[in-house]
Amino acid sequence: MPSYQFRWDVIPGNLDFLLSGLQMTLLISASTLVLAMLGGLLLAGIDMSRFLIVRAIGLAFGEVIRNTPILVQLLWVYYVLPIVFNIRITSFSAILIGLSVYMACFISEVYRAGIQAVPKGQKEAAHVLGMTSFQSFRRIVLPQAVRLTLPPLASNFVQLIKFSSLGAVISVTEITRRGMELSSSTFRPLEIFSFIAVIGSRRDELVAVTRSLVAAASPNPPGDVVAAAEVAHGLLEAIDGIAIRRFETAPGIINLVAVLFSGRPGRRLVFNGHLDTFPIGENLGWTVDPVGGALIEGRLYGRGVSDMKGGIAASLLAARMLGKHRDAWSGEIVITLAGDEETMGSLGTRWLLENVPEASGDAMICGDVGSPLVVRFGEKGLVWIEIEAKGQPAHGAHVHKGINAIDRLRAALDGLKRLEDLPIAAPADVVRAIADAKAISEPLSGDGEAETLQRLTVNIGTISGGVSPNLVPSSAKAAADIRLPAGITLEEVEAALHRALDGLEGVTWRILQKYPPTVTPPAHEIITATIAAATLVLGRAPVPNMRVGGSDARLYRMFGVPSV
């Protein structure tokens, strides 16, 4: 048995002492929030300046501050600034300065995203009504921007309370502690802490970029991604030397293609993403602002966080890092951001692949919704079908005088469901990968995923017909979703549909949408390289597997580009 005995009476005896510490925590947090909000507003204005040099300085400053650990910055302020400027800075002043500047750089992104999320059309309408730019900003833009920014500002305050603990001295022997020990023995804090500042996690930047994209709502339908495209364009512009092209394939549907050259010949790697999201669904009982990008207990919440603005943010940061280290790779990096994916992508990625040569490449990585423990190398195909049956109306008591259209539709649907028995001849490496991935993939995607991946499924999604129970219906209609596994072709499925439905009297049918199953061999270089990179980050190897649903990766595979 352990010998240690707890004594909780020590708490009441030192309550005043503990509460004085809480008072200091709240003082630091509140003071810093006020300063950070003012500084963030100033920095947001600089970042949106019409003058390129001013905007570049603001963006560069924000990049440096957001991408270095806050503890290193506090130590730099406390130890290095007095040496450089020959001044004395108290510990309280140091934490106010350090935290205020750090949080201002994140809050500026919140402000900028909130302002840019207001559709341009509203500002243009205000000008048409005779409002000045200031009146338009104060009456139209600002009220909406404030509503959008309140949830992330609240989560920033929570972060400030946590960061206030950095005012204490800690003894964890990580790189910053080692730097403190080394600077005390060498008396060279300027060089040491400047070096440590270069080394830091980019997690905070990833969160900030994702939140700025989420704040720019882009539901599809209706399919207006202008605000999200403008935010993404601004983020791309921060990558040194990148060439950006903008394509509007329909009103509100904006596609971006950005090319980053290494300066040496080589292969082209594409990072693909889509800017549109599912409809926001205000009536779904959201407990947070769906476009607020709320950060709660280390998790981001909002429409499009996982599908797929978080993936876009990761791609942008990857390209930014590659842009800073062009001597480490050859060839080209391309980022394609499509404005239309949720409605099958005909005006998005498909259009880009058909019309913009730079959109294609030697391999493609798509950070669409999923788990870091599963690398998806293929997707099932799809056929959407509509079936309509005609009959002869009559009174329900005189069925001998009529022909029931619903009965005819039922027979057609029974034939349609029998397609699930079609034989599948999947490649051996695909079958093996699905089996090997089952233990990891099914706990994430649901029991039965492995079996669903390997068979054709028919989901009858809608049925309509008839007007009253006492009338024989003269028409009936149904729509179904058919998913094709690897190992069966579109042509085979269409032939089976003809056999099942063509001979039925009074029944007609048509295909609404279709695309084949697509697979990149599990042993392909892009798959194995992705797994190797993920293993370094996660500390464990993810598994390659097929995907039940669809993404724009299917389009790249259809155009001959190996994709993951």
Side-chain angles (χ1 to χ4, degrees):
M1 294 289 292
S3 59
Y4 186 83
Q5 298 295 321
F6 287 94
R7 286 188 54 201
W8 294 108
D9 60 311
V10 72
I11 302 299
N14 294 277
L15 190 58
D16 289 343
F17 180 78
L18 294 173
L19 289 179
S20 67
L22 176 61
Q23 182 180 9
M24 179 59 71
T25 294
L26 295 176
L27 176 62
I28 291 171
S29 302
S31 302
T32 303
L33 181 63
V34 173
L35 294 172
M37 289 179 68
L38 294 174
L41 187 60
L42 175 62
L43 189 57
I46 293 173
D47 289 348
M48 292 186 292
S49 171
R50 294 178 300 169
F51 303 101
L52 180 60
I53 185 65
V54 174
R55 189 167 69 246
I57 292 172
L59 291 172
F61 179 78
E63 284 293 301
V64 171
I65 299 300
R66 284 193 295 268
N67 292 312
T68 53
I70 177 59
L71 182 56
V72 173
Q73 294 181 31
L74 291 176
L75 293 172
W76 207 91
V77 170
Y78 188 58
Y79 287 102
V80 178
L81 286 186
I83 297 174
V84 174
F85 296 103
N86 194 27
I87 58 175
R88 182 179 178 273
I89 298 179
T90 65
S91 57
F92 182 78
S93 300
I95 198 167
L96 279 187
I97 296 170
L99 287 183
S100 297
V101 173
Y102 184 78
M103 293 307 299
C105 290
F106 285 97
I107 290 175
S108 69
E109 290 297 299
V110 175
Y111 286 146
R112 188 156 65 107
I115 293 170
Q116 291 179 340
V118 178
K120 274 188 173 180
Q122 297 188 19
K123 291 176 277 188
E124 293 169 352
H127 290 310
V128 170
L129 293 174
M131 290 187 184
T132 65
S133 296
F134 177 75
Q135 290 174 326
S136 171
F137 180 80
R138 182 170 62 87
R139 297 181 181 180
I140 306 298
V141 177
L142 190 58
Q144 298 182 71
V146 168
R147 181 182 64 82
L148 292 172
T149 57
L150 283 178
L153 285 177
S155 63
N156 279 324
F157 182 68
V158 175
Q159 288 281 75
L160 274 175
I161 295 176
K162 297 177 182 178
F163 286 150
S164 67
S165 64
L166 296 175
V169 177
I170 62 172
S171 299
V172 178
T173 55
E174 43 79 65
I175 189 169
T176 304
R177 177 64 183 179
R178 294 302 188 199
M180 293 172 65
E181 295 171 351
L182 187 58
S183 66
S184 65
S185 62
T186 62
F187 303 103
R188 307 302 298 174
L190 178 60
E191 295 89 337
I192 292 167
F193 287 115
S194 295
F195 173 74
I196 292 174
V198 177
I199 306 170
S201 169
R202 307 194 61 98
R203 177 183 179 274
D204 289 341
E205 184 182 6
L206 177 63
V207 171
V209 171
T210 302
R211 293 169 82 176
S212 67
L213 289 166
V214 171
S218 50
N220 189 8
D224 185 349
V225 303
V226 173
E230 289 181 357
V231 173
H233 196 282
L235 294 167
L236 285 167
E237 284 182 322
I239 301 175
D240 183 41
I242 200 164
I244 310 168
R245 298 174 66 190
R246 182 180 184 274
F247 303 93
E248 185 167 4
T249 52
I253 304 297
I254 309 298
N255 302 281
L256 300 176
V257 177
V259 181
L260 184 64
F261 299 95
S262 68
R264 292 173 300 281
R267 293 182 290 181
R268 179 187 293 163
L269 176 64
V270 180
F271 291 96
N272 172 257
H274 64 88
L275 295 165
D276 59 331
T277 69
F278 279 119
I280 292 175
E282 291 87 347
N283 60 341
L284 295 179
W286 286 89
T287 57
V288 298
D289 184 347
V291 296
L295 182 62
I296 303 173
E297 296 181 354
R299 294 177 179 269
L300 270 177
Y301 295 86
R303 174 61 76 204
V305 166
S306 59
D307 186 16
M308 63 165 291
K309 293 180 176 180
I312 291 175
S315 296
L316 292 174
L317 293 188
R320 189 174 301 177
M321 291 299 293
L322 289 167
K324 293 178 179 178
H325 301 280
R326 300 188 195 204
D327 57 332
W329 55 281
S330 300
E332 299 172 0
I333 298 296
V334 173
I335 297 177
T336 56
L337 300 181
D340 171 39
E341 190 264 359
E342 300 295 355
T343 56
M344 296 298 176
S346 60
L347 296 175
T349 293
R350 179 184 284 275
W351 187 93
L352 290 175
L353 288 168
E354 290 175 342
N355 295 278
V356 183
E358 295 84 0
S360 186
D362 296 288
M364 189 280 290
I365 297 175
C366 179
D368 210 338
V369 59
S371 165
L373 295 178
V374 184
V375 174
R376 305 290 181 177
F377 62 81
E379 298 170 6
K380 295 184 76 173
L382 172 143
V383 175
W384 279 358
I385 182 175
E386 182 181 80
I387 305 174
E388 187 170 4
K390 296 293 185 181
Q392 179 67 40
H395 193 278
H398 301 276
V399 295
H400 57 287
K401 294 183 177 181
I403 300 174
N404 192 307
I406 292 179
D407 286 343
R408 285 180 166 177
L409 182 62
R410 285 173 52 212
L413 295 178
D414 288 342
L416 183 64
K417 287 293 286 184
R418 284 192 287 272
L419 265 66
E420 294 186 332
D421 299 325
L422 289 173
I424 307 298
D429 57 347
V430 172
V431 174
R432 184 167 54 252
I434 293 173
D436 292 344
K438 181 176 179 179
I440 293 177
S441 191
E442 285 206 349
L444 299 167
S445 301
D447 292 340
E449 180 201 34
E451 187 262 345
T452 300
L453 283 170
Q454 298 179 82
R455 70 181 181 92
L456 184 147
T457 60
V458 177
N459 176 66
I460 300 169
T462 64
I463 296 179
S464 62
V467 294
S468 176
N470 65 336
L471 294 176
V472 175
S474 61
S475 65
K477 184 183 293 185
D481 177 305
I482 307 171
R483 300 285 171 149
L484 289 60
I488 191 169
T489 66
L490 275 176
E491 292 74 19
E492 290 172 319
V493 172
E494 290 186 51
L497 286 170
H498 283 288
R499 292 194 300 270
L501 303 177
D502 282 355
L504 299 178
E505 187 175 357
V507 172
T508 57
W509 61 278
R510 65 190 182 103
I511 291 176
L512 305 175
Q513 294 275 2
K514 64 179 180 179
Y515 57 78
T518 60
V519 172
T520 296
H524 191 279
E525 180 184 2
I526 188 61
I527 310 297
T528 58
T530 302
I531 291 173
T535 302
L536 290 174
V537 175
L538 301 172
R540 59 182 295 192
V543 294
N545 198 9
M546 288 283 292
R547 183 178 184 178
V548 174
S551 74
D552 278 354
R554 79 182 192 281
L555 296 171
Y556 272 88
R557 296 190 194 100
M558 288 166 59
F559 279 77
V561 180
S563 300
V564 62

